[in-house]
């Protein structure tokens, strides 16, 4: 029989791990205890279903299923056959798969797919997909549960770094099936293989392609072990839409796209509900890696033990920042955003240290270290990687060393590498910015001697033709004209040079720190190339052709006209390393009028002339009032964006989360600081949402904690009246990262009305490349 709502509630209560207080889905809007309260778990503040809906920018594409912090495995339900995985608004769950990316913008992964049914074995999605209800769904860090109502099967999921576990409770009186439709992925399945490897194990592999049409294949190997011996089993072969079952068959293979294979295990009807537990290990190296990951991380451990371990891991990860004050909803938004910021990049090395390099060969991670993959570079250099540098410096060092390995093995530094393949998505040299930021922040646990030549190479020369990597688009034209001509590079010519200039400025700062004066001189000049696409007549950045003339018929509110995923208005502000020059070039009064207009929308909107909270193109803009003499406007605007765009519903993240970027923006902003130019090591100030924030620091930083107190913080008290750092008055609207990493106390006095004199003088503005020295490292 199918579980009733009462049985579901009772069963879920009995099966949840004792003390795991965070099991309510965001649909319930449950009020949680304040972090730090006796017996409270920080996982209680996290609602993974936030961000599974959609907004004006389209679907948000976050997954609700279990994963460990930065885990290789993201075991989650899929509600679609080609796309991103799970959407709150979809009516059916098709099954569960072992790999997902967190909020990407292109269909991807969904590899190693399986599900549970009752009755006859059916091999097509339409015949095994099941309706579900959010009232019978639970999502929490490291745990997911749902009732597959078509079959009356209660599914529970948990995960380790490299393995997942599913616990299926089948209703009494019906035959029980676990299906493995291995050809099912969310992108483009090129090949697959499946084998019944005994009476309790199914093994195999699936070859998918990296996302956004890059077309590069990769293979995931898996080992799947069951808690009960199979009563019967089989495989199927055919094409999608039809498949021929071979009862007692032991293997099936797919050799081209469009074929449809799978395997199944089966048990007869029982008088009482039957529980079948499935452990799944994966590896990108080989079958032995999958088997070993399963043995090391899952063997001999119960579902409850793995669930407790995942909950504890998330409590530790989330506990690096403690907040008090704010409303229950604000705390839930904050810790859910922090949770989403800690999902990617992903562990890529197996438990034995082996990993597949960019050269297609098997390599070994250094003992005690991990290799990471899946860097959404164009997005995450802005706030997610600076956040990780602040709160997880050891992981950040390994992430940077993984980029070094990319350079050494693959021959170049990529922009958006996925599964150790180059995708060439987006623009600029964002991973150079990431490594420069880490080094300048004081993280030196990676090989900068090996990294620097690759970073400098990417910034100055074109890669060889015919390679899988692209380098900076238009680099040959940049070296000749000092900008990217719109008639030669049609994909966001203006955005390209703006993003490149951010990297050049970051590398300039790094070259100075590395005592490389000749390189610093070259990079400083290149960092100013963005000025060559600034029109002094119209005071906008705009596309320019190779003959030096401005591309005609320019409309700054028109999206795509020389800009990537945005308009001239959105990119009006993208000179983060040199905002003092931009403000002077536009004219301070005009700059502030335009910035005020940019935020003068009545409600959040995707519009070519207003701030777009749904994409990364203008994330720095709210903090630019800190540079233009109106820091009180940064304080008001940031609070407004948080209030209007981040909430506790499935639609509570603005746009694709892009692997933690939009979420990390919220984390930083709610703490009351943000780095417009991360490699500058300057953090601009806004008004904290919470009365107290404690950032626990770790080596190599010398401080133990950095504490931000704002005793009057509330929705009404949104304006900074005074700031004191370790008892001393701060008259500027920014802090050097050195002050944070040394530890200390920042006291922010807030009030209900703006103090237009605080930090409003030109000398109080954050540093800019061409007008002032960078903060001391």
């Amino acid at each position: 029989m199918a579980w009733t709502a009462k049985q579901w509630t009772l069963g879920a209560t009995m099966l949840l791990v004792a003390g795991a207080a965070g099991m309510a889905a965001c649909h319930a809007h449950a009020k949680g205890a304040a972090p730090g309260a006796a017996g409270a778990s920080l996982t209680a503040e996290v609602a993974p279903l936030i961000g599974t809906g959609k907004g004006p920018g389209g679907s948000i594409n976050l997954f609700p299923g279990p994963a460990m912090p930065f885990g290789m495995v993201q075991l989650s339900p899929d509600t679609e056959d080609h796309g991103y995985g799970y959407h709150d608004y979809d009516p059916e769950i098709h099954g569960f798969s072992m790999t997902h990316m967190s909020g990407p913008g292109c269909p991807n992964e969904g590899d190693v797919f399986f599900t549970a049914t009752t009755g006859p074995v059916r091999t097509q999605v339409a015949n095994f997909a099941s309706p579900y209800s959010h009232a019978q769904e639970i999502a929490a860090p490291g745990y997911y549960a749902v009732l597959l109502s078509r079959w009356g099967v209660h599914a529970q999921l948990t995960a380790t770094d490299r393995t997942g576990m599913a616990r299926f409770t089948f209703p009494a009186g019906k035959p029980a099936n676990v299906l493995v439709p291995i050809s099912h992925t969310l992108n483009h399945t090129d090949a697959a293989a499946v084998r019944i490897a005994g009476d309790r194990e199914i093994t195999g592999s699936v070859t998918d392609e990296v996302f956004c049409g890059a077309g590069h294949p990769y293979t995931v190997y898996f080992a799947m072990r069951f808690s009960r011996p199979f009563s019967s089993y089989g495989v199927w072969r055919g094409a999608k839409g039809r498949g021929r079952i071979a009862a007692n068959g032991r293997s099936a293979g797919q050799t081209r796209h469009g074929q449809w294979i799978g395997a199944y295990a089966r048990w007869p009807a029982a008088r009482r509900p039957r529980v079948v537990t499935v452990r799944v290990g994966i590896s990108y190296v080989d079958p032995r890696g999958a088997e070993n990951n399963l043995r090391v991380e899952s063997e001999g451990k119960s579902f409850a033990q793995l669930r407790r371990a995942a909950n504890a891991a998330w409590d530790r990860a989330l506990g690096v920042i403690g907040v008090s004050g704010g409303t229950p909803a604000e705390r839930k938004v904050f810790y859910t955003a922090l949770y989403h910021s800690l999902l990617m990049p992903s562990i890529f090395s197996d438990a034995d240290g082996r990993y597949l390099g960019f050269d297609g060969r098997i390599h070994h991670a250094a003992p005690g270290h991990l290799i990471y993959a899946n860097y959404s570079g164009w997005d995450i250099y802005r706030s997610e990687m600076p956040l990780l540098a602040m709160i997880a410096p050891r992981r950040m060092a390994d992430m940077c060393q993984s980029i070094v390995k990319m350079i050494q093995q693959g021959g170049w530094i990529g922009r958006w590498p996925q599964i150790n393949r180059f995708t060439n998505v987006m623009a600029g040299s964002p991973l150079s910015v990431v490594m420069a930021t880490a080094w300048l922040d004081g993280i030196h646990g990676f090989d900068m001697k090996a990294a620097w030549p690759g970073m400098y190479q990417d910034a100055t020369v074109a890669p060889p033709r015919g390679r899988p990597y692209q380098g900076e688009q238009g680099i040959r034209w940049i070296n000749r004209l000092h900008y990217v001509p719109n008639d030669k590079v049609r994909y966001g010519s203006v955005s390209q040079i703006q993003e490149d200039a951010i990297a050049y400025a970051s590398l300039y700062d790094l070259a100075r720190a590395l005592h490389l004066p000749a390189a610093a001189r070259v990079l400083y000049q290149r960092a100013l190339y963005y000025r060559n696409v600034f029109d002094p007549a119209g005071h906008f950045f705009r596309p320019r052709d190779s003959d030096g003339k401005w591309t005609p018929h320019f409309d700054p509110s028109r999206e795509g006209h020389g800009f990537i995923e945005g308009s001239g208005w959105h990119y009006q502000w993208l000179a983060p390393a040199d905002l003092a020059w931009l403000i002077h070039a536009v004219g301070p009064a005009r700059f502030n009028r335009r910035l005020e207009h940019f935020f003068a929308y009545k409600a959040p909107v995707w519009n070519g002339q207003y701030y777009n909270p749904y994409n990364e193109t203008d994330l720095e803009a709210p903090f630019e009032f800190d540079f233009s003499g109106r820091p009180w406007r940064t304080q008001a605007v940031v609070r407004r964006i948080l209030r209007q765009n981040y909430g506790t519903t499935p639609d509570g993240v603005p746009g694709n989360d892009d692997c933690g970027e939009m979420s990390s923006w919220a984390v930083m902003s709610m703490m009351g600081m943000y780095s417009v130019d991360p490699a500058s090591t300057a953090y601009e100030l806004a008004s904290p949402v919470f009365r107290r924030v404690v950032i626990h620091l770790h080596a190599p930083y010398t401080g133990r904690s950095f504490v931000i107190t704002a005793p009057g913080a509330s929705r009404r008290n949104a304006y900074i009246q005074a700031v004191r750092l370790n008892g001393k008055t701060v008259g500027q609207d920014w802090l050097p990262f050195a002050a944070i990493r040394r530890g200390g106390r920042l006291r922010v006095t807030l009030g209900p009305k703006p103090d237009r004199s605080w930090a409003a003088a030109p000398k109080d503005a954050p540093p800019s490349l061409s007008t002032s020295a960078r903060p001391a490292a």
Side-chain angles (χ1 to χ4, degrees):
M1 64 179 179
W3 282 31
T4 66
K6 183 176 181 180
Q7 287 171 318
W8 165 266
T9 303
L10 177 61
T13 302
M14 293 174 64
L15 291 166
L16 291 179
V17 178
M23 301 299 108
C26 66
H27 300 275
H29 307 292
K31 294 184 177 180
S41 167
L42 285 178
T43 58
E45 299 290 339
V46 176
L49 285 164
I50 292 175
T52 59
K54 62 181 176 180
S59 59
I60 301 165
N61 302 333
L62 289 166
F63 64 86
M68 292 285 273
F70 309 102
M72 177 186 290
V73 162
Q74 309 84 26
L75 175 54
S76 193
D78 293 326
T79 61
E80 57 189 348
D81 293 332
H82 179 79
Y84 309 90
Y86 177 99
H87 299 298
D88 162 84
Y89 47 83
D90 286 335
E92 292 185 326
I93 288 176
H94 295 183
F96 310 94
S97 58
M98 294 289 289
T99 63
H100 297 83
M101 286 202 292
S102 183
C106 294
N108 70 95
E109 302 191 15
D111 305 314
V112 188
F113 180 89
F114 61 98
T115 192
T117 67
T118 60
V121 171
R122 299 172 185 266
T123 66
Q124 302 303 312
V125 174
N127 296 324
F128 58 67
S130 174
Y132 72 107
S133 167
H134 295 307
Q136 296 172 319
E137 181 182 45
I138 297 170
Y143 180 83
Y144 177 84
V146 69
L147 179 66
L148 302 176
S149 58
R150 179 177 184 179
W151 311 113
V153 174
H154 175 210
Q156 295 174 281
L157 310 177
T158 192
T160 69
D161 283 335
R162 303 170 182 88
T163 78
M165 185 182 290
R167 191 178 195 270
F168 296 122
T169 302
F170 294 92
K174 293 186 178 181
N177 313 306
V178 172
L179 310 181
V180 187
I182 195 61
S183 297
H184 188 289
T185 69
L186 292 171
N187 194 11
H188 191 281
T189 310
D190 290 334
V194 67
R195 184 170 72 93
I196 306 294
D199 67 352
R200 291 175 182 255
E201 186 166 1
I202 299 175
T203 62
S205 65
V206 58
T207 300
D208 200 351
E209 294 182 358
V210 296
F211 81 149
C212 286
H216 303 305
Y218 65 88
T219 298
V220 185
Y221 302 90
F222 72 92
M224 189 176 291
R225 291 182 189 157
F226 295 75
S227 60
R228 293 175 178 271
F230 310 149
S231 297
S232 60
Y233 56 82
V235 298
W236 68 83
R237 306 176 185 87
K240 198 165 186 180
R242 63 185 186 277
R244 188 175 66 256
I245 293 175
N248 301 318
R250 285 193 170 271
S251 64
Q254 173 185 348
T255 58
R256 65 179 184 274
H257 182 68
Q259 294 177 328
W260 182 251
I261 69 164
Y264 65 88
R266 188 166 166 80
W267 297 266
R271 295 179 62 184
R272 301 174 63 84
R274 183 193 300 274
V275 175
V276 176
T277 300
V278 186
R279 305 169 189 268
V280 189
I282 67 168
S283 169
Y284 293 92
V285 176
D286 56 23
R288 178 165 63 90
E291 294 274 3
N292 187 61
N293 289 340
L294 197 56
R295 180 185 62 81
V296 171
E297 296 187 2
S298 181
E299 192 172 279
K301 298 169 185 175
S302 69
F303 186 94
Q305 287 175 315
L306 293 186
R307 170 68 189 99
R308 278 195 297 268
N311 189 73
W314 276 112
D315 256 341
R316 290 191 298 271
L318 298 167
V320 74
I321 304 177
V323 303
S324 56
T327 66
E330 287 168 339
R331 292 194 298 272
K332 190 170 289 292
V333 166
F334 178 83
Y335 277 109
T336 302
L338 181 57
Y339 167 81
H340 286 139
S341 302
L342 301 178
L343 290 170
M344 292 180 68
S346 314
I347 294 170
F348 195 63
S349 49
D350 283 347
D352 61 8
R354 296 184 306 149
Y355 68 96
L356 191 68
F358 277 82
D359 54 5
R361 299 176 180 175
I362 297 173
H363 298 266
H364 288 80
H369 295 271
L370 296 167
I371 293 294
Y372 291 84
N374 306 327
Y375 294 80
S376 182
W378 182 81
D379 309 290
I380 63 175
Y381 84 85
R382 303 165 199 266
S383 60
E384 193 213 12
M385 297 309 268
L387 174 64
L388 297 187
M390 182 185 296
I391 65 176
R394 175 161 182 168
R395 283 197 192 266
M396 187 67 173
D398 278 357
M399 290 173 183
C400 289
Q401 184 62 21
S402 300
I403 300 171
V404 174
K405 293 300 182 183
M406 179 201 323
I407 298 170
Q408 293 176 320
Q409 297 161 6
W412 213 264
I413 183 170
R415 289 192 293 272
W416 212 130
Q418 182 193 4
I419 311 180
N420 278 11
R421 301 288 191 272
F422 294 100
T423 69
N424 300 317
V425 172
M426 305 311 292
S429 296
L431 297 188
S432 289
V433 179
V434 166
M435 288 198 288
T437 299
W439 190 271
L440 294 167
D441 279 353
I443 299 171
H444 295 170
F446 62 99
D447 189 352
M448 180 55 75
K449 185 176 180 180
W452 174 258
M455 299 162 77
Y456 190 77
Q457 168 185 261
D458 182 52
T460 55
V461 301
R465 297 185 189 278
R467 302 298 173 87
Y469 43 80
Q470 189 179 65
E472 293 180 354
Q473 289 196 52
I475 185 72
R476 291 180 174 86
W477 290 105
I478 293 172
N479 289 340
R480 178 178 169 185
L481 300 176
H482 302 170
Y483 64 91
V484 178
N486 192 63
D487 57 335
K488 302 298 182 181
V489 178
R490 302 299 297 182
Y491 180 59
S493 61
V494 184
S495 305
Q496 298 282 356
I497 193 62
Q498 288 178 293
E499 294 284 356
D500 293 340
I502 293 169
Y504 301 153
S506 300
L507 293 176
Y508 161 71
D509 288 328
L510 180 59
R512 292 176 61 219
L514 297 175
H515 307 293
L516 300 171
R521 286 192 294 273
V522 170
L523 291 160
Y524 181 85
Q525 292 302 318
R526 295 179 79 87
L528 306 183
Y529 284 176
Y530 76 94
R531 297 181 184 179
N532 295 326
V533 291
F534 181 81
D535 178 5
H539 304 97
F540 275 100
F541 294 110
R542 62 176 293 185
R544 190 176 186 181
D545 292 336
S546 57
D547 61 4
K549 297 179 180 179
W550 299 111
T551 302
H553 311 300
F554 174 64
D555 178 356
S557 64
R558 175 182 163 192
E559 293 200 27
H561 192 195
F563 301 96
I564 296 171
E565 298 182 2
S567 69
W569 271 100
H570 296 141
Y571 280 88
Q572 161 82 53
W573 327 104
L574 194 63
D578 202 15
L579 278 166
W581 182 89
L582 181 62
I583 292 167
H584 174 76
V586 174
R590 182 184 291 109
F591 184 93
N592 278 321
R593 284 197 304 273
R594 283 188 177 176
L595 199 52
E596 292 288 359
H597 169 81
F598 196 53
F599 293 103
Y601 51 85
K602 293 182 178 180
V605 63
W606 189 302
N607 182 287
Q609 62 177 316
Y610 294 119
Y611 176 71
N612 182 0
Y614 309 108
N615 206 354
E616 284 78 9
T617 52
D618 50 8
L619 286 182
E620 78 292 340
F623 297 89
E624 295 194 10
F625 286 114
D626 277 343
F627 292 79
S628 68
R630 296 187 176 185
W632 67 91
R633 291 296 294 139
T634 281
Q635 297 151 32
V637 167
V638 170
R639 283 289 193 96
R640 177 191 177 191
I641 293 168
L642 288 169
R643 186 171 63 252
Q644 290 184 328
N645 297 283
Y646 292 87
T648 59
T649 70
D651 301 337
V653 177
N656 301 151
D657 198 43
D658 286 322
C659 308
E661 175 53 31
M662 307 305 280
S663 288
S664 62
W665 188 95
V667 171
M668 299 293 283
S669 298
M670 294 180 85
M671 292 194 296
M673 57 182 171
Y674 186 86
S675 186
V676 165
D677 175 23
S680 74
T681 72
Y683 276 79
E684 291 73 44
L685 298 178
S687 73
V689 170
F690 304 105
R691 293 194 304 270
R692 180 180 173 88
V693 177
V694 181
I695 304 169
H696 299 284
L697 301 172
H698 301 279
Y701 304 143
T702 55
R704 296 188 63 182
S705 63
F706 187 75
V707 181
I708 303 167
T709 57
S714 66
R715 179 169 177 175
R716 182 169 181 266
N717 292 331
Y719 294 99
I720 296 176
Q721 311 294 303
V723 176
R724 297 179 70 85
L725 177 64
N726 299 326
K728 296 182 179 179
T729 298
V730 175
Q732 61 195 30
D733 57 10
W734 63 279
L735 292 177
F737 184 71
I740 297 172
R741 75 185 187 201
R742 286 194 295 263
R745 302 180 71 86
L746 185 75
R747 182 181 176 89
V748 182
T749 303
L750 299 176
K753 296 181 180 180
D755 182 340
R756 297 176 184 240
S757 64
W758 181 79
K763 66 180 178 59
D764 301 329
S768 285
L769 183 68
S770 57
T771 59
S772 60
R774 301 298 219 191

